[in-house]
Amino acid sequence: MDDLQQIFKKHSYAAKASTAFIYAILVSVAMNFFWTPGKIYASGITGLAQLVSTLLSRYAPFQISTALLLFLLNTPMFVLAWNKIGHRFTVFTFLAVVFSSIMIKAITPVTLTTDPIICAIFGGAVNGFGTGLALRNGISTGGLDIIGLTIKKKTGKSIGTINIIFNAFIVLAAGFIYGWPYAFYSALGLFVNARVMDMVYTRQQKMQVMIVTSRPKSVIDSIQNHMRRGITIVNDVEGAYHHDDKTLLITVISRYEQNELHDAMEESDPVAFVSISENVQIWGRFYEQAL
């Protein structure tokens, strides 16, 4: 058993490292093929690195590349993550940022188009896919993610407002430097990035599940074997068609767990009636797997 656990752990580590490398390739493609030719700024620390690099090239006697600035600006975040979130999490975040810095520098920029709308849409889509893939595999891409996770771990609250303010600053900077139309193009890129990331990273999307079954114990056991979820039981439920005695089970899962729920229902009660409501708001405790 210990040998199997070691093999699984090594496989998991290899998968995370591979995902970090794939993310690095995607963000470098977004940067070198779309954002830089289109004069589009990314979100978060990546956008800040672009902004500082642009300002240095214009007003300072020296220049620092976006790739190097991306690493330098993330360095304090590594220290915060190591102390407040976890060592394994920090190692893979470090890998993602280092790989990104290397690949942004290594991949030769190619100007496919300078149309800012095309560059905003495709750059945002490519980066959003990479970021969502990384988050889905338990890897942070650094920057504001680390601040958000630290605050959420300590207070249970998200920092959506801080993210909005920070990215608004990036958009305004694009307007001042390249002209106000580019502020709107950068905002479009941020929107596309967020939408694609949400499509790929589904752990944060909550779904309420209502199950009407005549085999409640079997269903409960199967669900809890597949995933760690609490279930509310409502007894003495009656079906209106045949007037059979039923039990109503209510739980909340993430969209990421939808396939596991389907497998659990196939095992325990394939004929149960299952209703799923998306985008529910949760108050109270909801288990999330540790990073």
Side-chain angles (χ1 to χ4, degrees), residues 29-102:
V29 167
M31 179 72 71
N32 293 337
F33 292 11
F34 298 107
W35 288 335
T36 299
K39 299 178 180 177
I40 304 299
Y41 281 141
S43 62
I45 297 298
T46 305
L48 181 61
Q50 289 176 279
L51 173 60
V52 174
S53 180
T54 302
L55 293 175
L56 288 176
S57 66
R58 288 192 178 189
Y59 304 112
F62 60 92
Q63 185 175 357
I64 303 177
S65 68
T66 300
L68 179 57
L69 280 167
L70 180 62
F71 177 78
L72 294 176
L73 291 172
N74 271 291
T75 300
M77 305 300 175
F78 299 145
V79 177
L80 179 64
W82 185 270
N83 292 325
K84 300 296 184 181
I85 299 177
H87 295 176
R88 184 176 60 183
F89 170 84
T90 306
V91 168
F92 288 112
T93 301
F94 177 82
L95 281 179
V97 174
V98 169
F99 286 160
S100 299
S101 299
I102 292 172

Side-chain angles (χ1 to χ4, degrees), residues 92-168:
F92 288 112
T93 301
F94 177 82
L95 281 179
V97 174
V98 169
F99 286 160
S100 299
S101 299
I102 292 172
M103 296 308 295
I104 289 172
K105 194 69 176 175
I107 292 180
T108 304
V110 176
T111 304
L112 301 175
T113 177
T114 57
D115 186 311
I117 295 179
I118 294 176
C119 290
I121 291 173
F122 281 89
V126 171
N127 185 71
F129 180 81
T131 304
L133 188 67
L135 292 172
R136 184 166 180 166
N137 285 274
I139 301 172
S140 166
T141 57
L144 295 183
D145 291 346
I146 293 174
I147 297 175
L149 288 168
T150 302
I151 293 177
K152 186 175 181 181
K153 188 173 182 179
K154 190 163 186 176
T155 67
K157 298 179 181 179
S158 66
I159 59 160
T161 303
I162 295 177
N163 275 288
I164 291 171
I165 293 172
F166 192 92
N167 288 326

Side-chain angles (χ1 to χ4, degrees), residues 225-245:
N225 283 335
H226 280 80
M227 63 191 81
R228 183 175 173 179
R229 291 288 163 237
I231 300 172
T232 299
I233 304 171
V234 182
N235 292 309
D236 302 323
V237 175
E238 182 180 342
Y241 190 73
H242 292 294
H243 298 281
D244 298 332
D245 290 332

